PDB file of all heavy atoms in Angstrom:
ATOM      1  N   SER A   1     -19.631  -5.404  -0.377  1.00 97.00           N
ATOM      2  CA  SER A   1     -19.012  -4.992   0.935  1.00 97.00           C
ATOM      3  C   SER A   1     -17.540  -4.732   0.858  1.00 97.00           C
ATOM      4  O   SER A   1     -17.000  -4.197   1.777  1.00 97.00           O
ATOM      5  CB  SER A   1     -19.357  -5.996   1.948  1.00 97.00           C
ATOM      6  OG  SER A   1     -18.475  -7.082   1.887  1.00 97.00           O
ATOM      7  N   LEU A   2     -16.864  -5.142  -0.212  1.00 98.00           N
ATOM      8  CA  LEU A   2     -15.402  -5.133  -0.268  1.00 98.00           C
ATOM      9  C   LEU A   2     -14.733  -3.784   0.076  1.00 98.00           C
ATOM     10  O   LEU A   2     -13.719  -3.763   0.771  1.00 98.00           O
ATOM     11  CB  LEU A   2     -14.941  -5.712  -1.576  1.00 98.00           C
ATOM     12  CG  LEU A   2     -15.017  -7.245  -1.756  1.00 98.00           C
ATOM     13  CD1 LEU A   2     -14.528  -7.659  -3.146  1.00 98.00           C
ATOM     14  CD2 LEU A   2     -14.318  -7.997  -0.667  1.00 98.00           C
ATOM     15  N   PRO A   3     -15.299  -2.643  -0.405  1.00 97.00           N
ATOM     16  CA  PRO A   3     -14.650  -1.392  -0.041  1.00 97.00           C
ATOM     17  C   PRO A   3     -14.570  -1.213   1.456  1.00 97.00           C
ATOM     18  O   PRO A   3     -13.632  -0.557   1.890  1.00 97.00           O
ATOM     19  CB  PRO A   3     -15.600  -0.338  -0.685  1.00 97.00           C
ATOM     20  CG  PRO A   3     -16.296  -1.046  -1.831  1.00 97.00           C
ATOM     21  CD  PRO A   3     -16.418  -2.513  -1.375  1.00 97.00           C
ATOM     22  N   LEU A   4     -15.457  -1.781   2.223  1.00 97.00           N
ATOM     23  CA  LEU A   4     -15.439  -1.611   3.621  1.00 97.00           C
ATOM     24  C   LEU A   4     -14.833  -2.788   4.389  1.00 97.00           C
ATOM     25  O   LEU A   4     -14.474  -2.680   5.572  1.00 97.00           O
ATOM     26  CB  LEU A   4     -16.856  -1.335   4.216  1.00 97.00           C
ATOM     27  CG  LEU A   4     -17.547  -0.140   3.652  1.00 97.00           C
ATOM     28  CD1 LEU A   4     -18.936   0.044   4.279  1.00 97.00           C
ATOM     29  CD2 LEU A   4     -16.798   1.174   3.931  1.00 97.00           C
ATOM     30  N   THR A   5     -14.778  -3.941   3.747  1.00 98.00           N
ATOM     31  CA  THR A   5     -14.368  -5.189   4.455  1.00 98.00           C
ATOM     32  C   THR A   5     -13.001  -5.778   4.016  1.00 98.00           C
ATOM     33  O   THR A   5     -12.412  -6.568   4.763  1.00 98.00           O
ATOM     34  CB  THR A   5     -15.451  -6.205   4.358  1.00 98.00           C
ATOM     35  OG1 THR A   5     -15.641  -6.519   2.995  1.00 98.00           O
ATOM     36  CG2 THR A   5     -16.764  -5.761   4.961  1.00 98.00           C
ATOM     37  N   ALA A   6     -12.567  -5.422   2.855  1.00 98.00           N
ATOM     38  CA  ALA A   6     -11.352  -5.983   2.306  1.00 98.00           C
ATOM     39  C   ALA A   6     -10.183  -5.730   3.218  1.00 98.00           C
ATOM     40  O   ALA A   6      -9.296  -6.560   3.373  1.00 98.00           O
ATOM     41  CB  ALA A   6     -11.044  -5.439   0.898  1.00 98.00           C
ATOM     42  N   GLY A   7     -10.205  -4.555   3.919  1.00 98.00           N
ATOM     43  CA  GLY A   7      -9.102  -4.196   4.784  1.00 98.00           C
ATOM     44  C   GLY A   7      -8.898  -5.151   5.943  1.00 98.00           C
ATOM     45  O   GLY A   7      -7.848  -5.340   6.387  1.00 98.00           O
ATOM     46  N   TYR A   8     -10.000  -5.778   6.395  1.00 98.00           N
ATOM     47  CA  TYR A   8      -9.901  -6.696   7.500  1.00 98.00           C
ATOM     48  C   TYR A   8      -9.004  -7.953   6.985  1.00 98.00           C
ATOM     49  O   TYR A   8      -8.182  -8.429   7.751  1.00 98.00           O
ATOM     50  CB  TYR A   8     -11.267  -7.199   7.975  1.00 98.00           C
ATOM     51  CG  TYR A   8     -12.166  -6.116   8.400  1.00 98.00           C
ATOM     52  CD1 TYR A   8     -13.507  -6.142   7.963  1.00 98.00           C
ATOM     53  CD2 TYR A   8     -11.744  -5.105   9.224  1.00 98.00           C
ATOM     54  CE1 TYR A   8     -14.393  -5.126   8.359  1.00 98.00           C
ATOM     55  CE2 TYR A   8     -12.652  -4.097   9.620  1.00 98.00           C
ATOM     56  CZ  TYR A   8     -13.953  -4.099   9.208  1.00 98.00           C
ATOM     57  OH  TYR A   8     -14.818  -3.121   9.580  1.00 98.00           O
ATOM     58  N   LEU A   9      -9.453  -8.454   5.799  1.00 98.00           N
ATOM     59  CA  LEU A   9      -8.721  -9.615   5.353  1.00 98.00           C
ATOM     60  C   LEU A   9      -7.268  -9.391   4.922  1.00 98.00           C
ATOM     61  O   LEU A   9      -6.405 -10.242   5.110  1.00 98.00           O
ATOM     62  CB  LEU A   9      -9.454 -10.181   4.108  1.00 98.00           C
ATOM     63  CG  LEU A   9      -8.934 -11.455   3.474  1.00 98.00           C
ATOM     64  CD1 LEU A   9      -9.092 -12.592   4.469  1.00 98.00           C
ATOM     65  CD2 LEU A   9      -9.697 -11.704   2.136  1.00 98.00           C
ATOM     66  N   LEU A  10      -7.038  -8.149   4.398  1.00 98.00           N
ATOM     67  CA  LEU A  10      -5.678  -7.786   3.930  1.00 98.00           C
ATOM     68  C   LEU A  10      -4.830  -7.044   4.858  1.00 98.00           C
ATOM     69  O   LEU A  10      -3.746  -6.558   4.466  1.00 98.00           O
ATOM     70  CB  LEU A  10      -5.884  -7.011   2.598  1.00 98.00           C
ATOM     71  CG  LEU A  10      -6.592  -7.761   1.442  1.00 98.00           C
ATOM     72  CD1 LEU A  10      -6.727  -6.728   0.290  1.00 98.00           C
ATOM     73  CD2 LEU A  10      -5.866  -8.918   1.011  1.00 98.00           C
ATOM     74  N   ALA A  11      -5.304  -6.941   6.086  1.00 98.00           N
ATOM     75  CA  ALA A  11      -4.645  -6.055   7.117  1.00 98.00           C
ATOM     76  C   ALA A  11      -3.141  -6.315   7.206  1.00 98.00           C
ATOM     77  O   ALA A  11      -2.259  -5.472   7.174  1.00 98.00           O
ATOM     78  CB  ALA A  11      -5.344  -6.153   8.403  1.00 98.00           C
ATOM     79  N   ILE A  12      -2.815  -7.613   7.364  1.00 98.00           N
ATOM     80  CA  ILE A  12      -1.440  -8.003   7.617  1.00 98.00           C
ATOM     81  C   ILE A  12      -0.528  -7.795   6.397  1.00 98.00           C
ATOM     82  O   ILE A  12       0.416  -7.117   6.475  1.00 98.00           O
ATOM     83  CB  ILE A  12      -1.319  -9.499   8.129  1.00 98.00           C
ATOM     84  CG1 ILE A  12      -1.955  -9.560   9.508  1.00 98.00           C
ATOM     85  CG2 ILE A  12       0.068  -9.968   8.108  1.00 98.00           C
ATOM     86  CD1 ILE A  12      -2.092 -11.021  10.087  1.00 98.00           C
ATOM     87  N   PRO A  13      -0.931  -8.325   5.181  1.00 98.00           N
ATOM     88  CA  PRO A  13      -0.110  -8.027   3.958  1.00 98.00           C
ATOM     89  C   PRO A  13      -0.090  -6.530   3.663  1.00 98.00           C
ATOM     90  O   PRO A  13       0.879  -6.009   3.193  1.00 98.00           O
ATOM     91  CB  PRO A  13      -0.694  -8.833   2.880  1.00 98.00           C
ATOM     92  CG  PRO A  13      -2.128  -9.217   3.372  1.00 98.00           C
ATOM     93  CD  PRO A  13      -1.965  -9.328   4.864  1.00 98.00           C
ATOM     94  N   PHE A  14      -1.214  -5.847   3.947  1.00 98.00           N
ATOM     95  CA  PHE A  14      -1.204  -4.413   3.620  1.00 98.00           C
ATOM     96  C   PHE A  14      -0.247  -3.684   4.543  1.00 98.00           C
ATOM     97  O   PHE A  14       0.512  -2.783   4.043  1.00 98.00           O
ATOM     98  CB  PHE A  14      -2.642  -3.881   3.888  1.00 98.00           C
ATOM     99  CG  PHE A  14      -2.784  -2.371   3.941  1.00 98.00           C
ATOM    100  CD1 PHE A  14      -2.719  -1.667   2.736  1.00 98.00           C
ATOM    101  CD2 PHE A  14      -3.039  -1.670   5.133  1.00 98.00           C
ATOM    102  CE1 PHE A  14      -2.876  -0.299   2.729  1.00 98.00           C
ATOM    103  CE2 PHE A  14      -3.126  -0.358   5.161  1.00 98.00           C
ATOM    104  CZ  PHE A  14      -3.064   0.416   3.858  1.00 98.00           C
ATOM    105  N   ALA A  15      -0.204  -4.056   5.789  1.00 97.00           N
ATOM    106  CA  ALA A  15       0.744  -3.360   6.679  1.00 97.00           C
ATOM    107  C   ALA A  15       2.210  -3.679   6.339  1.00 97.00           C
ATOM    108  O   ALA A  15       3.057  -2.749   6.326  1.00 97.00           O
ATOM    109  CB  ALA A  15       0.473  -3.748   8.141  1.00 97.00           C
ATOM    110  N   MET A  16       2.441  -4.946   5.912  1.00 98.00           N
ATOM    111  CA  MET A  16       3.790  -5.266   5.597  1.00 98.00           C
ATOM    112  C   MET A  16       4.281  -4.605   4.275  1.00 98.00           C
ATOM    113  O   MET A  16       5.343  -4.093   4.143  1.00 98.00           O
ATOM    114  CB  MET A  16       3.873  -6.854   5.486  1.00 98.00           C
ATOM    115  CG  MET A  16       3.724  -7.477   6.757  1.00 98.00           C
ATOM    116  SD  MET A  16       3.760  -9.284   6.628  1.00 98.00           S
ATOM    117  CE  MET A  16       5.412  -9.580   6.067  1.00 98.00           C
ATOM    118  N   ALA A  17       3.357  -4.618   3.276  1.00 97.00           N
ATOM    119  CA  ALA A  17       3.664  -4.092   1.993  1.00 97.00           C
ATOM    120  C   ALA A  17       4.005  -2.595   2.010  1.00 97.00           C
ATOM    121  O   ALA A  17       4.960  -2.072   1.430  1.00 97.00           O
ATOM    122  CB  ALA A  17       2.590  -4.436   0.916  1.00 97.00           C
ATOM    123  N   THR A  18       3.097  -1.895   2.692  1.00 97.00           N
ATOM    124  CA  THR A  18       3.258  -0.362   2.799  1.00 97.00           C
ATOM    125  C   THR A  18       4.367   0.053   3.580  1.00 97.00           C
ATOM    126  O   THR A  18       4.791   1.206   3.554  1.00 97.00           O
ATOM    127  CB  THR A  18       1.969   0.244   3.268  1.00 97.00           C
ATOM    128  OG1 THR A  18       1.582  -0.337   4.484  1.00 97.00           O
ATOM    129  CG2 THR A  18       0.827   0.106   2.233  1.00 97.00           C
ATOM    130  N   ALA A  19       4.911  -0.850   4.371  1.00 97.00           N
ATOM    131  CA  ALA A  19       6.141  -0.603   5.282  1.00 97.00           C
ATOM    132  C   ALA A  19       7.445  -0.890   4.503  1.00 97.00           C
ATOM    133  O   ALA A  19       8.506  -0.463   5.013  1.00 97.00           O
ATOM    134  CB  ALA A  19       6.073  -1.359   6.507  1.00 97.00           C
ATOM    135  N   LEU A  20       7.394  -1.604   3.376  1.00 97.00           N
ATOM    136  CA  LEU A  20       8.578  -1.993   2.664  1.00 97.00           C
ATOM    137  C   LEU A  20       9.367  -0.790   2.164  1.00 97.00           C
ATOM    138  O   LEU A  20       8.818   0.074   1.415  1.00 97.00           O
ATOM    139  CB  LEU A  20       8.255  -2.911   1.539  1.00 97.00           C
ATOM    140  CG  LEU A  20       7.906  -4.388   1.878  1.00 97.00           C
ATOM    141  CD1 LEU A  20       7.421  -5.064   0.557  1.00 97.00           C
ATOM    142  CD2 LEU A  20       9.089  -5.062   2.450  1.00 97.00           C
ATOM    143  N   PRO A  21      10.649  -0.561   2.625  1.00 95.00           N
ATOM    144  CA  PRO A  21      11.410   0.471   2.013  1.00 95.00           C
ATOM    145  C   PRO A  21      11.537   0.432   0.515  1.00 95.00           C
ATOM    146  O   PRO A  21      11.598   1.428  -0.181  1.00 95.00           O
ATOM    147  CB  PRO A  21      12.764   0.321   2.723  1.00 95.00           C
ATOM    148  CG  PRO A  21      12.429  -0.323   4.020  1.00 95.00           C
ATOM    149  CD  PRO A  21      11.285  -1.296   3.703  1.00 95.00           C
ATOM    150  N   ALA A  22      11.548  -0.821   0.016  1.00 96.00           N
ATOM    151  CA  ALA A  22      11.715  -0.972  -1.444  1.00 96.00           C
ATOM    152  C   ALA A  22      10.523  -0.406  -2.191  1.00 96.00           C
ATOM    153  O   ALA A  22      10.619   0.262  -3.248  1.00 96.00           O
ATOM    154  CB  ALA A  22      11.938  -2.467  -1.801  1.00 96.00           C
ATOM    155  N   LEU A  23       9.274  -0.642  -1.660  1.00 97.00           N
ATOM    156  CA  LEU A  23       8.073  -0.069  -2.257  1.00 97.00           C
ATOM    157  C   LEU A  23       8.056   1.427  -2.166  1.00 97.00           C
ATOM    158  O   LEU A  23       7.728   2.107  -3.149  1.00 97.00           O
ATOM    159  CB  LEU A  23       6.834  -0.687  -1.598  1.00 97.00           C
ATOM    160  CG  LEU A  23       5.486  -0.241  -2.143  1.00 97.00           C
ATOM    161  CD1 LEU A  23       5.363  -0.638  -3.650  1.00 97.00           C
ATOM    162  CD2 LEU A  23       4.281  -0.700  -1.422  1.00 97.00           C
ATOM    163  N   GLY A  24       8.489   1.996  -1.052  1.00 96.00           N
ATOM    164  CA  GLY A  24       8.623   3.447  -0.906  1.00 96.00           C
ATOM    165  C   GLY A  24       9.590   4.055  -1.991  1.00 96.00           C
ATOM    166  O   GLY A  24       9.310   5.053  -2.578  1.00 96.00           O
ATOM    167  N   ALA A  25      10.715   3.313  -2.152  1.00 96.00           N
ATOM    168  CA  ALA A  25      11.702   3.805  -3.113  1.00 96.00           C
ATOM    169  C   ALA A  25      11.137   3.723  -4.527  1.00 96.00           C
ATOM    170  O   ALA A  25      11.447   4.594  -5.348  1.00 96.00           O
ATOM    171  CB  ALA A  25      12.968   2.883  -2.978  1.00 96.00           C
ATOM    172  N   TRP A  26      10.360   2.635  -4.832  1.00 97.00           N
ATOM    173  CA  TRP A  26       9.781   2.530  -6.063  1.00 97.00           C
ATOM    174  C   TRP A  26       8.769   3.517  -6.448  1.00 97.00           C
ATOM    175  O   TRP A  26       8.732   4.176  -7.498  1.00 97.00           O
ATOM    176  CB  TRP A  26       9.111   1.091  -6.223  1.00 97.00           C
ATOM    177  CG  TRP A  26       8.632   0.675  -7.590  1.00 97.00           C
ATOM    178  CD1 TRP A  26       9.386   0.004  -8.558  1.00 97.00           C
ATOM    179  CD2 TRP A  26       7.299   0.868  -8.135  1.00 97.00           C
ATOM    180  NE1 TRP A  26       8.622  -0.213  -9.662  1.00 97.00           N
ATOM    181  CE2 TRP A  26       7.314   0.360  -9.419  1.00 97.00           C
ATOM    182  CE3 TRP A  26       6.072   1.420  -7.634  1.00 97.00           C
ATOM    183  CZ2 TRP A  26       6.201   0.368 -10.205  1.00 97.00           C
ATOM    184  CZ3 TRP A  26       4.981   1.407  -8.460  1.00 97.00           C
ATOM    185  CH2 TRP A  26       5.037   0.898  -9.759  1.00 97.00           C
ATOM    186  N   PHE A  27       7.929   3.899  -5.479  1.00 97.00           N
ATOM    187  CA  PHE A  27       6.971   4.987  -5.599  1.00 97.00           C
ATOM    188  C   PHE A  27       7.724   6.267  -5.785  1.00 97.00           C
ATOM    189  O   PHE A  27       7.334   7.113  -6.681  1.00 97.00           O
ATOM    190  CB  PHE A  27       6.122   5.110  -4.308  1.00 97.00           C
ATOM    191  CG  PHE A  27       4.864   4.339  -4.306  1.00 97.00           C
ATOM    192  CD1 PHE A  27       4.914   2.940  -4.698  1.00 97.00           C
ATOM    193  CD2 PHE A  27       3.615   4.893  -3.924  1.00 97.00           C
ATOM    194  CE1 PHE A  27       3.719   2.174  -4.705  1.00 97.00           C
ATOM    195  CE2 PHE A  27       2.486   4.108  -3.950  1.00 97.00           C
ATOM    196  CZ  PHE A  27       2.574   2.769  -4.385  1.00 97.00           C
ATOM    197  N   ALA A  28       8.796   6.569  -5.001  1.00 96.00           N
ATOM    198  CA  ALA A  28       9.501   7.787  -5.100  1.00 96.00           C
ATOM    199  C   ALA A  28      10.196   7.954  -6.446  1.00 96.00           C
ATOM    200  O   ALA A  28      10.177   9.027  -7.078  1.00 96.00           O
ATOM    201  CB  ALA A  28      10.546   7.910  -4.048  1.00 96.00           C
ATOM    202  N   ALA A  29      10.764   6.881  -6.968  1.00 97.00           N
ATOM    203  CA  ALA A  29      11.476   6.904  -8.275  1.00 97.00           C
ATOM    204  C   ALA A  29      10.456   7.267  -9.385  1.00 97.00           C
ATOM    205  O   ALA A  29      10.898   7.917 -10.427  1.00 97.00           O
ATOM    206  CB  ALA A  29      12.079   5.599  -8.481  1.00 97.00           C
ATOM    207  N   ARG A  30       9.223   6.961  -9.237  1.00 97.00           N
ATOM    208  CA  ARG A  30       8.260   7.198 -10.287  1.00 97.00           C
ATOM    209  C   ARG A  30       7.328   8.327 -10.008  1.00 97.00           C
ATOM    210  O   ARG A  30       6.473   8.748 -10.713  1.00 97.00           O
ATOM    211  CB  ARG A  30       7.445   5.969 -10.484  1.00 97.00           C
ATOM    212  CG  ARG A  30       8.235   4.801 -11.233  1.00 97.00           C
ATOM    213  CD  ARG A  30       7.624   3.464 -10.977  1.00 97.00           C
ATOM    214  NE  ARG A  30       8.460   2.423 -11.546  1.00 97.00           N
ATOM    215  CZ  ARG A  30       9.647   2.023 -11.089  1.00 97.00           C
ATOM    216  NH1 ARG A  30      10.191   2.511  -9.905  1.00 97.00           N
ATOM    217  NH2 ARG A  30      10.370   1.142 -11.687  1.00 97.00           N
ATOM    218  N   GLY A  31       7.563   9.004  -8.853  1.00 97.00           N
ATOM    219  CA  GLY A  31       6.813  10.148  -8.447  1.00 97.00           C
ATOM    220  C   GLY A  31       5.339   9.907  -8.085  1.00 97.00           C
ATOM    221  O   GLY A  31       4.573  10.807  -8.038  1.00 97.00           O
ATOM    222  N   LEU A  32       5.070   8.627  -7.731  1.00 98.00           N
ATOM    223  CA  LEU A  32       3.722   8.245  -7.442  1.00 98.00           C
ATOM    224  C   LEU A  32       3.406   8.690  -5.923  1.00 98.00           C
ATOM    225  O   LEU A  32       4.247   8.603  -5.053  1.00 98.00           O
ATOM    226  CB  LEU A  32       3.558   6.669  -7.495  1.00 98.00           C
ATOM    227  CG  LEU A  32       3.589   6.170  -8.863  1.00 98.00           C
ATOM    228  CD1 LEU A  32       3.492   4.644  -8.807  1.00 98.00           C
ATOM    229  CD2 LEU A  32       2.451   6.769  -9.777  1.00 98.00           C
ATOM    230  N   CYS A  33       2.245   9.231  -5.774  1.00 98.00           N
ATOM    231  CA  CYS A  33       1.790   9.820  -4.446  1.00 98.00           C
ATOM    232  C   CYS A  33       2.773  10.896  -3.979  1.00 98.00           C
ATOM    233  O   CYS A  33       2.999  11.046  -2.789  1.00 98.00           O
ATOM    234  CB  CYS A  33       1.523   8.699  -3.478  1.00 98.00           C
ATOM    235  SG  CYS A  33       0.240   7.601  -3.966  1.00 98.00           S
ATOM    236  N   GLY A  34       3.449  11.601  -4.898  1.00 97.00           N
ATOM    237  CA  GLY A  34       4.314  12.630  -4.563  1.00 97.00           C
ATOM    238  C   GLY A  34       3.552  13.908  -4.243  1.00 97.00           C
ATOM    239  O   GLY A  34       2.430  14.043  -4.707  1.00 97.00           O
ATOM    240  N   ILE A  35       4.194  14.768  -3.541  1.00 97.00           N
ATOM    241  CA  ILE A  35       3.664  16.068  -3.215  1.00 97.00           C
ATOM    242  C   ILE A  35       4.416  17.146  -3.849  1.00 97.00           C
ATOM    243  O   ILE A  35       5.539  16.899  -4.288  1.00 97.00           O
ATOM    244  CB  ILE A  35       3.576  16.199  -1.674  1.00 97.00           C
ATOM    245  CG1 ILE A  35       4.905  15.962  -1.091  1.00 97.00           C
ATOM    246  CG2 ILE A  35       2.521  15.314  -1.042  1.00 97.00           C
ATOM    247  CD1 ILE A  35       4.937  16.222   0.496  1.00 97.00           C
ATOM    248  N   PRO A  36       3.957  18.341  -3.881  1.00 97.00           N
ATOM    249  CA  PRO A  36       4.774  19.440  -4.646  1.00 97.00           C
ATOM    250  C   PRO A  36       6.216  19.559  -4.105  1.00 97.00           C
ATOM    251  O   PRO A  36       7.124  19.824  -4.879  1.00 97.00           O
ATOM    252  CB  PRO A  36       3.930  20.652  -4.309  1.00 97.00           C
ATOM    253  CG  PRO A  36       2.558  20.216  -4.185  1.00 97.00           C
ATOM    254  CD  PRO A  36       2.624  18.867  -3.506  1.00 97.00           C
TER     255      PRO A  36
END
């Protein structure tokens, strides 16, 4: 069930982690999830 249920358990850390400006900068520096 984890593909459908893990999000409930990880909702709070998921929201916090994906909001971190430092994580966004890390993604941008490496071109991860970049668009054309």
Side-chain angles (χ1 to χ4, degrees):
S1 77
L2 287 179
L4 301 182
T5 60
Y8 305 133
L9 183 66
L10 300 175
I12 292 174
F14 171 71
M16 294 176 65
T18 54
L20 284 173
L23 182 61
W26 190 86
F27 271 48
R30 288 154 183 80
L32 292 175
C33 296
I35 53 178

